[in-house]
Amino acid sequence: MNKKLIFLIVAVLILFFLPLIYKASFFIHVLILIFMFAMASQAWDLVGGYTGQISFGNAIFFGIGAYTSTLLYMHWSVTPWIGMLVGGVVAVIVALIVGYPAFKLKGHYFLLATIGIGEIIRTLFLNWPAVGGAQGIFIPFEKESFWNFQFHSSKLPYYYIILTLFILTFLVSYFVEKSKLGFYFKAIREDEDAAKAMGIHTQKFKFVAFAISAFLTAITGTFYAQYLMYIDPNSVMPFMLSTQIVLVAILGGMGYLFGPLLGSLVLIPLSELTRVLLGSSGSGFHLVIYGLLIMLISMYKPAGLAGWIQEWNFNKKKAAGGEVDGTTINS
Amino acid sequence: MDIILQIIVSGLLIGFVYSLIAIGLTLIYGVMDIVNFAHGAFLMLGMFTAYWLNQLFNFDPLLSLPISIIAIYLLGWLSYKFVVNKVLNAPPVAQIFVTFGLMVFLENLALFLWSPDFRIIKDTFVSGDFNIGEIMFNIPKLIAALGSVLITGAIFWFMSKTRTGRALKATAINRDAAKLMGINTDKMFALAWGIGGGAVGAAGALLTNFYYIFPTVGATFNLLAFVTVALGGFGSIQGALVAGLLIGIIENLAGVFIGPAFKYAVVFAIFILVIVIRPNGLMGGK
């Protein structure tokens, strides 16, 4: 355990100093995207990976976060930091409303319902003039400051903010996994009827998972809005964004604490690199590779990269004749 | 009154195409309990088959129809043999995501190869409109509907009158019992993917007479096909037929009375309402 803690502290320190050593703006941009997707995906994993309810509509929470903070700022000059929290609360309320019909459904039906609801909400925003409609909203430039959540001279502050937010999200996942809540979630994933028979209020805990997931995803959305300074329904709540969030988690390993980060570490640099190498003619080529990777992972390693690493560790320990903790394999 | 009649006619015409697409999807699900997320991508490739045959050899979409059916039949068959085959005993999540990966792969490969441009086939053999009373009929849509009805009929006939079709049905009802009766279920799975692909390949070619052709064209049809299948009941071919027609009409009603931008949103809202009230769909028995 102590070894693990030291490893984590070293990792965080490296992440903290990395952009100070290698300062290229593009490099920092990629790091920011990595942690942004890792965070959204980690939030998704609480409901998708741990509780087993595959949502393809998480982009709506992302969008709600982005829109809430932006609108509060535009109309009442509320700092995005407060807007971020309000956005989280709004997302939780929407999650509870959406969950009401959606959680009556299982498997494919739940998945389809989340896609449908996502498309309905996106359509509403596209045709709603008060929130900028299809044209979207430009966030006006203000003086660079932490309070304004705007930094123009360097990307570094954005990096440290998203790194911190990601670590907080990771800690939430960690404590959920270690607590009774995590066991409830996993019990629902493995066999909902059995979980119910054991006295777990399955419906309630699905709502809990969805609400935490929505809150954290909305916070990612606010960050994204402040980072790009422009939002519209097709960039902050499209189906493709929901998909990307899910892809990161599948590749990394659903239901594993490190899964989303691993997935993000592979997929985001891949997409940014192909964008640079192939230019605009190759736009979308990274998705060709994504598609192939997802197929291969599903066919040969359904537990994702994190599952693969754990399996490898497990076999190594077993080969060495050491003590094996049987509970760590949970494919 | 005329407007209502017109809406119903237009809705039915496109509805038959929706039904054909959904029948392909529900057939695969019925036989092997796997949802094909790449169905819309198959449709897109069917459309591009007709498009390239037109560009390269000046084939009319109607002439390309049989070729598109065969091409996408093969694509479906190959997808089963090389991809889906590998996840038959995998956890359900892997089964969901494998065809999802296939969709992302095919759609973006098309984007990469052919650019996101919208294309159209010019000077098709069928074009124009005619009127019966006040009701206008668009000829390409009428042909698409007729073609869809014919192919849907052929699938119904195949499923109920031929030995192979009945074997397919038997596999859908009980995989293990079918195996014990000497049915090669692996062959049946491959056949279901082939027919599912063929159906959507036909729909694709028929659509090119009046619809834009572009790499992401499948996304909307994919969602509509899922909605149709869920509404009709997963695995129910009759259900898919009825639901497809209903969705065609609802979409047109919403387009006229609420606004074209909202037509799919209304379809999705009704879909969610229906599956919450009746989770097995209109005709689902499972």
Side-chain angles (χ1 to χ4, degrees), chain A residues 44-58:
Chain A
W44 176 86
D45 206 30
L46 282 172
V47 72
Y50 287 95
T51 319
Q53 311 296 311
I54 310 292
S55 155
F56 265 91
N58 263 33

Side-chain angles (χ1 to χ4, degrees), chain B residues 9-258:
Chain B
V9 166
S10 307
L12 284 178
L13 292 187
I14 192 73
F16 277 113
V17 182
Y18 289 163
S19 296
L20 178 59
I21 299 172
I23 284 170
L25 188 64
T26 207
L27 186 71
I28 294 170
Y29 182 85
V31 172
M32 58 189 306
D33 285 350
I34 285 183
V35 178
N36 178 21
F37 277 93
H39 210 62
F42 284 9
L43 179 86
M44 175 271 294
L45 290 172
M47 292 176 83
F48 268 103
T49 307
Y51 175 79
W52 287 116
L53 286 172
N54 177 268
Q55 293 294 300
L56 300 174
F57 308 111
N58 215 7
F59 279 19
D60 188 81
L62 289 182
L63 190 60
S64 306
L65 179 66
I67 304 172
S68 173
I69 294 177
I70 294 167
I72 311 303
Y73 180 101
L74 284 177
L75 179 67
W77 189 82
L78 288 173
S79 303
Y80 173 74
K81 278 289 172 195
F82 290 99
V83 181
V84 182
N85 204 350
K86 307 275 192 291
V87 296
L88 288 182
N89 300 314
V93 179
Q95 296 183 344
I96 290 179
F97 289 129
V98 80
T99 61
F100 191 77
L102 187 62
M103 173 200 85
V104 174
F105 172 71
L106 291 175
E107 219 173 82
N108 288 287
L109 194 63
L111 260 174
F112 180 68
L113 292 175
W114 302 320
S115 82
D117 295 348
F118 282 51
R119 300 151 194 263
I120 195 157
I121 298 181
K122 283 183 202 124
D123 303 323
T124 49
F125 178 67
V126 286
S127 63
D129 313 297
F130 69 87
N131 286 307
I132 296 179
E134 292 295 306
I135 311 296
M136 192 188 77
F137 288 82
N138 177 277
I139 297 173
K141 286 186 182 167
L142 187 65
I143 295 295
L146 285 177
S148 299
V149 170
L150 278 177
I151 293 162
T152 304
I155 293 174
F156 270 103
W157 175 81
F158 173 80
M159 292 294 283
S160 53
K161 295 286 185 242
T162 64
R163 276 182 73 84
T164 322
R166 286 205 289 262
L168 207 55
K169 255 187 181 167
T171 313
I173 295 167
N174 190 327
R175 199 182 289 193
D176 296 324
K179 216 180 228 167
L180 286 173
M181 294 296 125
I183 294 170
N184 182 344
T185 49
D186 189 61
K187 232 179 196 164
M188 289 301 127
F189 292 159
L191 183 66
W193 276 81
I195 298 174
V200 87
L206 290 166
L207 279 171
T208 52
N209 268 324
F210 61 92
Y211 211 89
Y212 289 109
I213 303 142
F214 53 101
T216 47
V217 66
T220 309
F221 283 102
N222 210 19
L223 265 179
L224 283 176
F226 282 134
V227 169
T228 313
V229 167
L231 208 55
F234 269 100
S236 161
I237 295 185
Q238 283 93 337
L241 177 63
V242 175
L245 300 179
L246 265 178
I247 284 176
I249 294 171
I250 294 170
E251 174 195 304
N252 274 279
L253 277 173
V256 171
F257 291 109
I258 301 175

Side-chain angles (χ1 to χ4, degrees), chain A residues 261-310:
Chain A
L261 182 60
L262 279 174
S264 194
L265 277 172
V266 173
L267 287 185
I268 303 303
L270 184 75
S271 75
E272 293 305 308
L273 269 180
T274 50
R275 207 187 308 254
V276 172
L277 290 178
L278 297 167
S280 63
S281 67
S283 68
F285 190 74
H286 65 282
L287 290 169
V288 178
I289 304 174
Y290 271 31
L292 265 180
L293 282 176
I294 297 305
M295 272 155 70
L296 292 174
I297 281 276
S298 314
M299 282 153 69
Y300 301 109
K301 292 281 168 214
L305 295 177
W308 198 353
I309 291 171
Q310 200 169 74

Side-chain angles (χ1 to χ4, degrees), chain A residues 166-196:
Chain A
F166 169 74
I167 291 172
L168 289 176
T169 308
F170 185 88
L171 288 175
V172 169
S173 282
Y174 175 82
F175 285 115
V176 164
E177 197 185 84
K178 295 292 161 208
S179 71
K180 245 182 175 170
L181 208 55
F183 287 100
Y184 291 154
F185 288 175
K186 283 180 197 165
I188 294 171
R189 175 186 69 192
E190 295 304 327
D191 190 334
E192 193 174 335
D193 293 327
K196 208 183 259 172

Side-chain angles (χ1 to χ4, degrees), chain A residues 16 49 103 156 173 205 207 212 219 227 239 252 256 286 292 303 330:
Chain A
F16 187 83
F103 283 137
L156 265 182
S173 282
F205 286 107
F207 274 110
I212 302 175
I219 286 180
Y227 181 53
F239 175 55
Y256 289 93
H286 65 282
L292 265 180
N330 56 350

Side-chain angles (χ1 to χ4, degrees), chain A residues 240-255:
Chain A
M240 203 55 225
L241 179 65
S242 295
T243 308
Q244 289 230 354
I245 292 172
V246 180
L247 290 184
V248 165
I250 308 170
L251 183 72
M254 289 165 53

